[in-house]
Amino acid sequence: MTTAPQRQSRYAFLDELRGLAALIVLLFHVGTRTGAPAIAANGYLAVDFFFMLSGFVLAEAYGSKLGADMTFREFARRRLARMMPIVVLGVCLGTAYALLRWIAAPARSDSLSGILASTALNTLLLPKWWHGSATGWEAFPINGPLWSLFFEMVINFVWAGWLVARHKGTLVLLTLASMVVLAAMAGNAGTMDLGWEVPSLLGGLARVTFGFLFGLVVHAFREHLPVLGKPAALAAGIMLVAALVIPLHAVSWTIAMTLVVLPAALLLAVCAGRQHLIPGAPFLGAISYAVYGLHVPFLALYSGMAERFTGRSEAGFEAYLMVFLILAVAALATTFYDRPAQRILRRTLDQGSRAARRGSLPRDALS
């Protein structure tokens, strides 16, 4: 995403919270994917915070451009260039793990044809729709976190094509309606952990709709918000960590965290302005997308190897040493792969667009 420097620095603290949330997601999955003792009980709710951040940040970066000098097609190209390099690398890593598992333990794996079909769909950021013998109804078995990027892309395009022109009042009404729908769906399912498997895809759509809309609403009213500085930053950080770490799993608790506490954290973070509160968080913010998009295949490989060589199905606290490796890989991937790939992909898409425009010129313009 590209914003003007002065506007980007105005909300610098949002990058710190993005980095902190990505780290907590990583800690959450160390526990769930390796069996290590949990230290981020509700870390999966960070996804809802990412959706809220996305609504605010995209409105800040592109809201005034869309409908002015930027077309929907150009916006779509920019989003694809931003998101797809990490998607493709994550799928490559996940496919490598899935094939190794198929070779080492075919009875505990999906079929080869199922793995290859899942790879083809997940590379295109599309879910698999069938029940796998090992992965069940998981929509993105090759790299689990891609489910949220799928919904992110969907809501981005809906926003650019329709929501961007909506009045503030309409956005508020839609946000309230989506809040009610999400609360009802989570209450009916008995969990907020919706969207990552086929039977709960509608729940994932509800999560991204509420989160993204709330971010849009905060952005729409940003000029009316006070600048509260460091106290607001401190409160936002505490609320984010509490929502993701406190080990309470009742659906009423996770609904309250998603619909009240995380939105309040975003609101306070916007009010915080140009604060730098959390040591190392700007660095984590810079690599947060790579951390999120790449960490699960590494954890899956670690878990499989640990079980094979130790005979234990659950790891201990030593599994958290993987955090340092994954952060290092994410930093390298961001610097030497993701950013260069984005530039190449954006340039390629722009050239294709210019060629298409030249090809669509009227006949007399070519004479």
Side-chain angles (χ1 to χ4, degrees):
M1 291 171 285
T2 303
T3 60
Q6 67 272 22
R7 300 294 288 173
Q8 189 177 44
S9 63
R10 178 179 175 182
Y11 304 112
F13 187 62
L14 295 181
D15 287 332
E16 294 201 15
L17 288 192
R18 179 189 291 109
L20 180 61
L23 176 62
I24 294 176
V25 169
L26 172 54
L27 296 175
F28 169 75
H29 280 141
V30 171
T32 60
R33 297 279 176 162
T34 72
I39 60 176
N42 292 315
Y44 69 92
L45 295 179
V47 171
D48 298 275
F49 189 71
F50 291 146
F51 291 151
M52 297 173 200
L53 277 175
S54 179
F56 184 93
V57 171
L58 286 191
E60 176 73 6
Y62 298 114
S64 61
K65 297 177 183 178
L66 280 164
D69 59 346
M70 178 180 286
T71 65
F72 175 86
R73 181 176 294 182
E74 184 179 357
F75 171 80
R77 290 201 308 268
R78 286 177 178 245
R79 293 308 290 158
L80 288 170
R82 174 67 183 95
M83 296 180 71
M84 291 308 294
I86 288 296
V87 169
V88 171
L89 180 57
V91 167
C92 290
L93 293 172
T95 300
Y97 167 75
L99 292 175
L100 286 173
R101 178 172 172 171
W102 176 73
I103 292 170
R108 299 171 56 190
S109 304
D110 286 350
S111 65
L112 179 60
S113 60
I115 292 172
L116 296 179
S118 295
T119 294
L121 286 171
N122 290 178
T123 301
L124 298 174
L125 207 53
L126 295 173
K128 86 166 175 57
W129 297 93
W130 59 90
H131 186 276
S133 56
T135 58
W137 287 110
E138 192 171 355
F140 288 86
I142 298 301
N143 188 13
L146 295 185
W147 75 266
S148 65
L149 302 184
F150 162 70
F151 283 114
E152 170 81 11
M153 194 73 81
V154 169
I155 199 68
N156 286 182
F157 291 165
V158 171
W159 171 68
W162 181 68
L163 281 172
V164 71
R166 299 310 104 190
H167 188 270
K168 292 179 182 179
T170 302
L171 291 177
V172 170
L173 290 176
L174 290 173
T175 302
L176 292 174
S178 65
M179 176 187 293
V180 172
V181 170
L182 178 55
M185 295 187 73
N188 183 62
T191 180
M192 186 59 75
D193 194 10
L194 304 170
W196 60 276
E197 54 184 352
V198 174
S200 69
L201 283 176
L202 287 178
L205 183 60
R207 289 175 73 181
V208 72
T209 300
F210 168 72
F212 194 86
L213 282 171
F214 183 81
L216 293 180
V217 167
V218 174
H219 185 268
F221 291 94
R222 69 198 182 284
E223 301 297 343
H224 304 287
L225 297 174
V227 178
L228 301 177
K230 188 161 290 187
L234 181 60
I238 291 172
M239 294 173 79
L240 177 65
V241 172
L244 304 184
V245 171
I246 292 177
L248 296 175
H249 300 285
V251 68
S252 57
W253 172 265
T254 55
I255 289 175
M257 295 301 101
T258 304
L259 302 185
V260 179
V261 176
L262 291 178
L266 176 65
L267 193 62
L268 287 169
V270 172
C271 293
R274 299 183 181 93
Q275 295 299 312
H276 296 286
L277 184 67
I278 307 167
F283 165 74
L284 290 175
I287 66 170
S288 59
Y289 183 46
V291 170
Y292 185 74
L294 304 179
H295 72 281
V296 165
F298 284 99
L299 293 177
L301 181 61
Y302 171 85
S303 180
M305 292 180 64
E307 182 176 354
R308 174 169 287 269
F309 290 112
T310 67
R312 294 186 296 143
S313 59
E314 295 185 351
F317 281 107
E318 73 279 355
Y320 286 97
L321 294 174
M322 285 293 294
V323 169
F324 300 101
L325 172 64
I326 290 170
L327 292 179
V329 169
L332 292 172
T334 298
T335 303
F336 298 107
Y337 166 74
D338 187 33
R339 290 170 181 164
Q342 286 182 50
R343 290 193 292 269
I344 293 169
L345 186 55
R346 188 178 297 116
R347 187 164 56 245
T348 301
L349 291 172
D350 287 345
Q351 289 172 350
S353 177
R354 288 194 292 269
R357 284 198 297 270
R358 288 196 298 269
S360 64
L361 289 173
R363 182 178 299 276
D364 58 355
L366 300 175
S367 59

